[in-house]
Amino acid sequence: MKSPQGNPNDHPITEFDKELKGTCLCGSISVTIRDPELFTRPRGHLCHCANCRKTSGSCVASNLIIESDKVDIQDSAGTLRTYDDYDTLSGNPVHRSFCSVDGK
């Protein structure tokens, strides 16, 4: 498989049709999403609110909404931390997770 960096057109959709994998920067947390419909129907949204911009470190946060049984999270070094963020415009808490080593 080619490097995940570079032109997205260098990666045919068949590379991701069964599962999509990612890790935090230090590699202690890995996430695998297994959903054959991941790229065939809307599954999330881009949020531009100040809170999401701050947590993502960008001008927008991409939020994926997916069933928990399709997501496998492995925390090999016990670095996963979570908190409920109540500083939202809706007043509803957002459950945020991150690596306590690298923050990602």
Side-chain angles (χ1 to χ4, degrees):
M1 184 163 121
K2 296 178 185 176
S3 169
Q5 290 79 24
N7 186 341
N9 295 324
D10 289 343
H11 303 276
I13 195 70
T14 55
E15 285 185 26
F16 311 107
D17 63 351
K18 294 192 178 22
E19 64 183 28
L20 183 64
K21 293 183 178 186
T23 67
C24 63
L25 289 174
C26 74
S28 66
I29 301 169
S30 65
V31 178
T32 303
I33 299 172
R34 292 181 181 89
D35 183 1
E37 296 180 318
L38 186 60
F39 298 109
T40 61
R41 64 184 179 104
R43 299 306 304 256
H45 65 279
L46 300 176
C47 186
H48 298 83
C49 81
N51 183 278
C52 282
R53 290 193 323 260
K54 189 172 188 175
T55 60
S56 70
S58 182
C59 62
V60 64
S62 55
N63 300 298
L64 181 63
I65 301 167
I66 190 165
E67 300 84 351
S68 60
D69 63 327
K70 295 180 179 180
V71 180
D72 179 40
I73 300 172
Q74 298 295 316
D75 181 16
S76 63
T79 62
L80 183 66
R81 300 292 182 266
T82 60
Y83 71 97
D84 288 328
D85 182 355
Y86 290 90
D87 188 22
T88 62
L89 292 176
S90 69
N92 297 319
V94 175
H95 186 72
R96 301 203 186 274
S97 300
F98 62 96
C99 176
S100 61
V101 172
D102 58 49
K104 303 296 176 198

